[in-house]
Amino acid sequence: MTTQRILNTRVFSTLQWTVGRQTVARNNIRAIHNICRQSALSSRPVVKNSNIKFNIVPLINNQAQGIRSYTTNNENVDFEIVQRIVKENDTDYTLLDVREPSEVMQGFIPSAINIPLSKLLPAWTMSSEEFEEEFGFERPKEEDKIIVYCQAGIRSNNAANFLREIGYKNVLNYPGSYADYVDKSSQA
């Protein structure tokens, strides 16, 4: 495993671990921002990933002094494409919901499978048998076409980046995610 991949895995694990732990989350997010800040200030990057661009936001008295912006080069799909896949029951695509089970209980896009973002890394370290026992379906194959969504598009973007990093090539992000799907479905 390359140094970059180890660092990305550690950052991803830290972000997963902070879900639901607000006091710990603040400290971990600060640590990640400090690493990024060091990278921005030095002539040699500490963290280098050409797919991710971000702005560093200074914190003064624990208050952000600007807007953090995170962007990636993920390919996106919109409501019309997802709606067509659902209506036509298109099995060429796998809809992957990365929300937590409590969120999924409030509703989901038909035919979607659920692997919470907090379990995404452990899920891909399990054997195929363990994966199927844990989630009730086969793990998607690297050549499968996967559309990732969450509630508002942030977690799905992170999940799409993770899947690409571990070798999946046909990963699309639905940035509007479930909120957009519900809103536009009710208008249709």
Side-chain angles (χ1 to χ4, degrees):
M1 197 179 268
T2 66
T3 305
Q4 177 63 42
R5 199 165 187 144
I6 291 169
L7 181 57
N8 288 346
T9 303
R10 285 184 183 153
V11 169
F12 187 77
S13 297
T14 301
L15 291 173
Q16 282 184 334
W17 187 74
T18 62
V19 173
R21 295 175 177 87
Q22 295 303 316
T23 56
V24 175
R26 240 178 292 166
N27 293 334
N28 286 332
I29 290 170
R30 265 193 214 119
I32 292 167
H33 281 264
N34 286 338
I35 291 171
C36 296
R37 185 168 178 261
Q38 289 170 7
S39 175
L41 295 175
S42 71
S43 59
R44 175 172 80 72
V46 176
V47 178
K48 183 180 179 185
N49 186 332
S50 61
N51 292 332
I52 300 175
K53 297 174 183 152
F54 47 85
N55 295 326
I56 307 296
V57 178
L59 293 177
I60 299 175
N61 295 329
N62 292 328
Q63 293 186 3
Q65 302 301 308
I67 298 173
R68 284 174 230 161
S69 62
Y70 298 88
T71 59
T72 67
N73 292 334
N74 277 329
E75 291 185 42
N76 295 326
V77 295
D78 58 11
F79 170 77
E80 286 75 24
I81 293 172
V82 173
Q83 184 69 349
R84 182 191 58 77
I85 290 167
V86 169
K87 281 186 175 180
E88 295 175 6
N89 199 18
D90 190 343
T91 56
D92 288 342
Y93 290 89
T94 300
L95 292 173
L96 176 59
D97 185 342
V98 295
R99 296 176 299 154
E100 294 300 316
S102 59
E103 294 173 283
V104 174
M105 289 174 59
Q106 297 169 8
F108 56 91
I109 298 176
S111 78
I113 60 174
N114 175 246
I115 304 173
L117 183 63
S118 61
K119 293 185 178 181
L120 203 61
L121 182 61
W124 262 261
T125 59
M126 296 176 180
S127 70
S128 297
E129 295 79 25
E130 291 172 325
F131 183 94
E132 195 166 342
E133 186 178 313
E134 172 78 19
F135 297 104
F137 50 85
E138 285 184 24
R139 179 176 25 230
K141 295 170 182 53
E142 286 186 10
E143 62 275 359
D144 289 354
K145 297 175 187 172
I146 301 172
I147 297 175
V148 186
Y149 78 92
C150 61
Q151 184 65 31
I154 297 167
R155 289 174 286 178
S156 62
N157 196 35
N158 292 336
N161 286 337
F162 172 75
L163 291 172
R164 260 204 205 86
E165 202 169 287
I166 63 170
Y168 284 75
K169 293 171 183 39
N170 300 314
V171 180
L172 302 167
N173 181 34
Y174 179 23
S177 285
Y178 185 69
D180 180 63
Y181 184 83
V182 169
D183 183 48
K184 291 183 177 170
S185 292
S186 64
Q187 293 175 5

